[in-house]
Amino acid sequence: MEFFRIHKDIPFMRHALVFNGVSLVTFVAAVFFLFWNGLNLSIEFTGGTLVEVNYAQTADLEKIRNALTKAGNNDTAVQNFGSSHDVLIRLPLKADQPTAKAGEAVMAALDADAPGATLRRVEFVGPQVGRELAENGALALLLVVIGIVVYLAFRFEWRFSVAAIVANLHDVIIILGFFAFFRWEFSLSVLAAVLAVLGYSVNESVVVFDRVRETFKKSRGLTTPQVIDHAITRTISRTIITHGSTQMMVLSMLVFGGETLHNFALALTIGICFGIYSSVLVASPLVMWLGVSRDQFVKPKRKIEGANEDGAVV
């Protein structure tokens, strides 16, 4: 399915150095803010208190957040848990406040400004659990990266796998850089979005790389930059349809999904935008500079002894 077709190839590779220069500056800035500010980790990673409450009617999450903020709990996470009547409240770790006291403080704040809540349970999540979650999250990212490298190395060639993984890490670091710069909360849902972006970005790279390989096999006389330009140009319509549809869904979550889905959708929005850029304008130039050529995809014909140049036996 195509909305349009561009008949003349766009010379993307002519400006490859400029595109990668922009990417390098953005990447370095993201790394700088990661080291300078660090990530604003949620209580899933740092530890804290979980308070579950129940309402007889549908819970007003915004009213609950305002009640807790008014009581001095500024870093709380409030979301529905199982149904619209059950609410899970996460409070950051406070050394001077026992778990039981935290539950009592939450109920007092709710009784004052969001009445009708019934306390279900209060649980403490220690920093050790948070540390394990952070380590497991980093391990998940590492395993995904290794899986992508192995998959691309088997499907294409090592040049493609190197280019794709550099582009994918570029997307991940930039997402983390945005969250570090703006001090947005980095939670488990954001980690899930980062993992989703890794798979999403590599899919776009595979589409472009497939077209590059196909063009090398079918077209003779084209230089490597011309082959890559042709591949990118022929996939533009597909890219716009796919990413445009996905981005509309993600933006709807960002605008209408509420506080619970906000950071998840925000990470996906950043990842999709930079994923398109990196797959087309970062990975493709890297493949070109790593020396991909037609000879790597088209095997030379074996010359049969006693045959002429056309292959006919004399």
Side-chain angles (χ1 to χ4, degrees):
M1 177 180 176
E2 290 183 326
F3 283 157
F4 58 86
R5 175 173 290 186
I6 301 174
H7 297 282
K8 186 177 181 181
D9 293 342
I10 302 173
F12 290 103
M13 294 303 101
R14 185 185 301 172
H15 309 288
L17 196 60
V18 175
F19 294 138
N20 277 263
V22 172
S23 298
L24 181 61
V25 171
T26 311
F27 182 86
V28 170
V31 172
F32 170 78
F33 288 118
L34 272 174
F35 280 99
W36 184 261
N37 288 342
L39 290 172
N40 179 23
L41 298 174
S42 68
I43 66 167
E44 289 113 335
F45 298 109
T46 60
T49 304
L50 300 178
V51 180
E52 183 185 346
V53 298
N54 174 267
Y55 281 85
Q57 70 284 356
T58 300
D60 187 339
L61 299 185
E62 194 60 34
K63 192 174 182 180
I64 294 172
R65 291 189 189 100
N66 293 335
L68 294 172
T69 302
K70 186 177 178 181
N73 298 300
N74 298 318
D75 298 325
T76 57
V78 180
Q79 65 185 74
N80 285 118
F81 182 72
S83 72
S84 60
H85 297 265
D86 297 308
V87 178
L88 188 65
I89 301 170
R90 293 184 175 93
L91 303 170
L93 186 65
K94 293 182 180 180
D96 58 340
Q97 187 180 53
T99 303
K101 293 292 184 182
E104 293 174 5
V106 167
M107 293 307 297
L110 296 182
D111 289 340
D113 293 286
T118 303
L119 182 64
R120 286 289 181 84
R121 64 184 173 103
V122 180
E123 292 182 3
F124 174 72
V125 179
Q128 179 63 34
V129 176
R131 192 180 306 114
E132 290 178 2
L133 282 173
E135 292 172 355
N136 290 338
L139 179 61
L141 281 174
L142 178 61
L143 291 177
V144 169
V145 168
I146 293 173
I148 290 172
V149 170
V150 172
Y151 165 73
L152 291 175
F154 273 103
R155 178 162 181 175
F156 296 101
E157 201 207 16
W158 68 268
R159 293 172 180 84
F160 290 100
S161 62
V162 170
I165 207 60
V166 169
N168 284 4
L169 290 177
H170 164 274
D171 300 340
V172 170
I173 295 299
I174 286 179
I175 292 173
L176 298 180
F178 267 95
F179 273 79
F181 177 75
F182 291 103
R183 302 300 297 160
W184 295 327
E185 186 180 66
F186 188 87
S187 61
L188 284 176
S189 62
V190 176
L191 176 60
V194 171
L195 292 174
V197 166
L198 273 173
Y200 189 86
S201 181
V202 76
N203 177 67
E204 180 66 25
S205 299
V206 166
V207 170
V208 176
F209 291 166
D210 259 331
R211 186 57 65 93
V212 169
R213 181 171 58 180
E214 178 185 330
T215 306
F216 267 127
K217 291 179 178 179
K218 291 183 177 180
S219 303
R220 298 191 179 193
L222 295 179
T223 64
T224 298
Q226 289 173 332
V227 168
I228 296 175
D229 288 339
H230 178 80
I232 296 173
T233 304
R234 290 298 174 268
T235 56
I236 282 181
S237 180
R238 176 260 172 204
T239 298
I240 292 175
I241 294 171
T242 303
H243 294 282
S245 302
T246 309
Q247 191 64 72
M248 283 193 296
M249 298 304 102
V250 172
L251 285 176
S252 66
M253 286 194 295
L254 182 65
V255 176
F256 304 109
E259 186 73 21
T260 304
L261 293 177
H262 183 268
N263 285 353
F264 173 76
L266 194 59
L268 283 178
T269 300
I270 298 169
I272 289 172
C273 292
F274 279 93
I276 300 171
Y277 182 87
S278 67
S279 298
V280 175
L281 302 176
V282 175
S284 298
L286 285 176
V287 167
M288 179 181 67
W289 291 330
L290 287 171
V292 69
S293 65
R294 187 173 185 271
D295 297 335
Q296 294 153 6
F297 300 98
V298 180
K299 295 181 180 179
K301 296 180 180 179
R302 290 191 306 169
K303 188 173 182 179
I304 303 174
E305 188 176 351
N308 58 20
E309 292 182 357
D310 296 328
V313 179
V314 179

